[in-house]
Amino acid sequence: MLVLEFKAYGKSKQFSAVDEALRTVQFIRNKALRFWMDGLGKSQYDLNKYCAVLAKEFPFCNELNSMARQASAERAWSAIARFYDNCKKQIPGKKGFPQFQKDNRSVEYKSTGWKLAEGRKSITFTDKKGIGTLKLKGTRDLHFYQMGGLGRDSRAAVF
């Protein structure tokens, strides 16, 4: 995977929308973890289905892109899977029981929920959180990469 980091510039209203998206992702991950702890989620598929339930139950969860919601549930499942793997390997000491997140720092938008501008100088987030268009500044030239390569298999993360 190719990771490119850029500084994002926007208005304070946009960055408070980013903060709201970060809190929503943290909420979904913690609810998915609690769902598993209560014995209701036995697989990654169960946690992904639970994201749809959360979107119907909580309006602020529905504002976030569906793939970003599922990515947060996948992160919860990866913590659970790592715990199970450590138990199977009989690693001495703590096994890394999944913990609730207190300080989330990223939202992962997979193939939908974002669009890179034609000039490749800005990125637009299309979910209902209200982030909008952020200007990008970085040391890498995005014109070097083809737009097809920055599409379907690409991911945008907001920190």
Side-chain angles (χ1 to χ4, degrees):
M1 176 179 0
L2 181 66
V3 177
L4 301 173
E5 292 183 9
F6 289 89
K7 213 174 223 188
Y9 294 94
K11 298 179 180 168
S12 63
K13 183 180 177 183
Q14 291 174 305
F15 288 115
S16 42
V18 169
D19 290 339
E20 179 64 29
L22 291 169
R23 283 192 297 274
T24 303
V25 166
Q26 177 178 329
F27 175 80
I28 291 170
R29 183 192 184 280
N30 289 342
K31 288 292 265 185
L33 194 56
R34 172 54 65 190
F35 188 68
W36 169 75
M37 286 177 170
D38 292 342
L40 302 172
K42 305 222 182 294
S43 69
Q44 183 176 355
Y45 179 70
D46 293 338
L47 296 184
N48 282 343
K49 283 193 327 189
Y50 188 57
C51 286
V53 172
L54 289 174
K56 289 178 184 174
E57 189 175 342
F58 299 100
F60 66 92
C61 289
N62 195 28
E63 292 174 354
L64 191 65
N65 183 293
S66 63
M67 292 194 98
R69 287 193 306 259
Q70 289 179 358
S72 112
E74 288 171 4
R75 287 183 177 191
W77 184 255
S78 69
I80 294 165
R82 187 171 39 253
F83 169 68
Y84 283 143
D85 287 343
N86 288 344
C87 289
K88 284 181 186 173
K89 292 177 186 173
Q90 296 180 350
I91 295 175
K94 294 184 179 180
K95 303 291 190 267
F97 191 81
Q99 301 290 313
F100 292 112
Q101 239 178 4
K102 294 178 185 134
D103 186 28
N104 184 32
R105 296 180 182 201
S106 66
V107 179
E108 183 180 356
Y109 290 88
K110 291 199 176 190
S111 59
T112 63
W114 64 281
K115 186 174 188 320
L116 193 61
E118 281 296 321
R120 300 177 189 176
K121 298 278 185 193
S122 63
I123 187 168
T124 303
F125 293 95
T126 58
D127 58 0
K128 298 174 197 158
K129 284 291 181 187
I131 299 171
T133 302
L134 299 173
K135 292 181 183 177
L136 299 175
K137 288 216 176 166
T139 58
R140 303 284 266 185
D141 183 19
L142 286 178
H143 290 287
F144 179 74
Y145 304 99
Q146 294 180 3
M147 284 300 264
L150 294 173
R152 177 180 295 249
D153 296 332
S154 299
R155 293 186 176 136
V158 180
F159 308 152

